[in-house]
Amino acid sequence: MAKDRGKYYITTPIYYPSSNLHIGHTYCTVMADAMARFKRLAGYDVMFLTGTDEHGQKIQKIADEAGLSPQAHVDKIVEGIIELWKTMEISYDDFIRTTEERHVKRVQEIFRRINAAGDIYKGAYEGWYCTPCESFWTDTQLVDGKCPDCGRPVEKAKEDAYFFRLSAYADRLLELFATNPGFLEPESRRNEMVAFINQGLEDLCISRSSFDWGIPVPGDEGQVIYVWLDALSNYITALGFPAVDGTDGEDEKYRKYWPADVHLVGKEIVRFHSIIWPAMLMSMNEPLPKQVLGHGWLLLDGGKMSKSKGNVVDPVKLIERYGVDALKYFLLREYTFGQDGLFTNEVLLNRLNADLANDLGNLLSRTTGMAEKFQGGAVYKPGTGDYGEPALDEAGSLVDSDLKSVAVSVAATVEAHMDVFAFNHALEEIWVLIRRSNKYIDETAPWALAKDPAAADRLNQVLYNLSEALRIVSILIYPFMHYSSAEIRRQLGLAGSQVAWADAQAFGICESYALTKGEALFPRIDVEAELEALEAEAAAAAAAAEAPAAEAAEAAPGKAEIEYDDFDKIDFKVGKIVEARRHPDADKLLIFQVKIGAETRQIISGVAGSFAPEDCVGRNVIVVMNLKARKLRGEESKGMLLFAEDGERLAFVTTDAPDGETVS
Ligand code: ME8
């Protein structure tokens, strides 16, 4: 590949610093990093952006529960995220935090520009809100009355808010998908988006007034900008755009790198990136990103990993056990871009053993071991040093030419796969060369050549060919596993020499090698013993989480400590459910008449998914008496009933005590 191939701007989503990142987030960032390293090696001027999406109700809630200010909470989590990327040597060029001044002032300017274009108006928003996803949904979008993204319950929410005229862009968006089919990949997502637009695009709520952890709407301090307008803008604010007072000229990076070549995002946020984001840019009259790529999810036992559900795989633990390169290799090799994939320890360990310990590790240790043993580590290009060009029979010529032709052809195939983000196929191709090289050792049997002084030139030639193959491998794997690339080069005696992609397409360019056998690149794992150890570790973690509150305080902080006085403010009483019926306008709600001593009051609970009305009548339950009354879809609810929950299933908290008694 030629140098100076122009610019390449790649982004990851900016992650929510609600808690530490899990392996699903690592997956996306590892792909972006591999692509950024590959493009740099291929001669592009790369801009690789990642960061954190720090505003919103969810973050505010988590911070409150932890007894921290939102800023203190995000500062703590972001520190851990940056530390993780440092450990993994993620080669980003910039890390943007949405709480940074450079972002805040530009988001306000973006709001002003979209407003000036006539695309913002004030109205009242009423919709179903999913707090964990920070998404509003319409009735038709809900699946079984729940959030279509995460399947959790949603709440009805209504408030004054600003709206972006997304509906005005439906035709232009459809045209974008029709005339630029590569804009969104994979194709299945494109079809989903076109169908979504054809259903009728609604204007988008872009501000909230019910919480304040966000960027104030310019000119209306009672409102904060709703997180998606804030978050999506990061892709240009990090480049210094738009210019705001006193920052003219700071958009040099924008002029150089925008439009983005690719926004790499998870499948559930494709909608925001391929519909809302282009519409915002259209409104500002700015160029659109060239491509949005939606990747699949890593699943655990068939379910999505989720920070809020707590069923996550911690990348730090895997790195501690197997190393950064092993984790990166596994993520890139095991899963197919665009599809979901199941994560299990067994798949991980078998993959590491087969490909890394056996194939790659053995090739390196066999080659360096034999070079040391038979030639003191010194290997020369045939015809130089102490060695001449051996005369080869037909079989010898054939295996040599086959090895060489495989070796020099891999780079072009890898490039073709990388063009379509097929990391797994790119690595598979590199492993064709690694396996071919191992086979070459078996075919040429250097240990037999070493016994015959007349075969010294051939022995050197075989070791040279293997060293060349390994040198090429070290270049090919660099974008994916740069530590291993460097270690292979060190053991070949090439430490410090520049890794250049073009050199992967030339065989026989190195005059000599000084090989040294090092530690095993990837030690073989005893899968059974390791699986047991991993299970024991998981069991210990689960036990710690269930330990009494005081002991578990550090591992599972739960809700923040409160004073007795706070607890004492709640008035609990026993109530008897004397009547229960479905809410006429809300699938999820049951309306109870609850007798509490002399009083009977109406209480509404979102439990229609768990109980039939007839199953509720006659139960003596615990009532929170003094919760502020509120209207739920036109019906008043005064107080609250307590339920026990194990994440999915609900149960009444019942008592034998008669109604009207105080609970304390
Ligand atoms: O969505 N497998 O942030 P986020 C694969 N702040 N990818 C996964 C995953 C899994 N199990 N779990 C999460 C946000 N992800 C917004 C983005 S961008 C302007 C704003 C991916 O921290 C997920 O698909 O919830 C998403 O692309 C990314 O992690 C960030 O998720």
Side-chain angles (χ1 to χ4, degrees), residues 14 52-56 96-100 103-104 106-108 110-111 134 204 206 211 213-216 224-237 276-277 280:
I14 48 172
T52 40
D53 181 3
E54 307 188 4
H55 292 125
I96 182 136
R97 300 184 55 181
T98 56
T99 48
E100 284 171 309
H103 177 75
V104 170
R106 294 198 165 94
V107 167
Q108 290 181 321
I110 288 169
F111 190 100
E134 302 198 343
L204 179 79
I206 51 164
F211 61 90
W213 179 237
I215 299 176
V224 291
I225 294 175
Y226 168 58
V227 282
W228 277 100
L229 188 130
D230 169 355
L232 289 162
S233 301
N234 91 88
Y235 301 127
I236 54 178
T237 61
I276 297 170
W277 180 223
M280 282 169 60

Side-chain angles (χ1 to χ4, degrees), residues 12-18 21-28 52-53 58 132 227-228 230-235 264-269 273 295-299 303-307:
T12 70
I14 48 172
Y15 299 102
Y16 287 129
S18 42
L21 299 189
H22 60 65
I23 199 172
H25 309 109
T26 311
Y27 173 55
C28 182
T52 40
D53 181 3
K58 190 166 80 174
V227 282
W228 277 100
D230 169 355
L232 289 162
S233 301
N234 91 88
Y235 301 127
L264 203 57
V265 301
K267 62 179 185 178
E268 85 285 17
I269 57 172
H273 285 80
H295 65 76
W297 286 338
L298 298 193
L299 304 174
K304 189 179 179 226
M305 270 175 236
S306 140
K307 284 178 281 192

Side-chain angles (χ1 to χ4, degrees), residues 184-202:
L184 172 60
E185 303 266 5
E187 198 184 345
S188 54
R189 306 258 171 271
R190 191 159 70 234
N191 299 338
E192 275 171 31
M193 291 308 114
V194 170
F196 185 85
I197 299 170
N198 281 331
Q199 263 177 26
L201 273 190
E202 292 184 15

Side-chain angles (χ1 to χ4, degrees), residues 526-582:
D526 177 341
V527 175
E528 242 170 72
E530 188 67 10
L531 281 175
E532 272 176 33
L534 288 170
E535 264 169 38
E537 200 173 84
E546 279 170 18
E551 284 172 36
E554 229 181 310
K559 293 187 184 173
E561 208 167 59
I562 57 168
E563 297 296 333
Y564 176 80
D565 286 349
D566 292 327
F567 168 75
D568 197 41
K569 286 181 197 152
I570 308 174
D571 181 11
F572 293 106
K573 284 216 163 109
V574 177
K576 183 183 206 73
I577 300 177
V578 290
E579 192 190 310
R581 64 184 167 96
R582 294 189 187 279

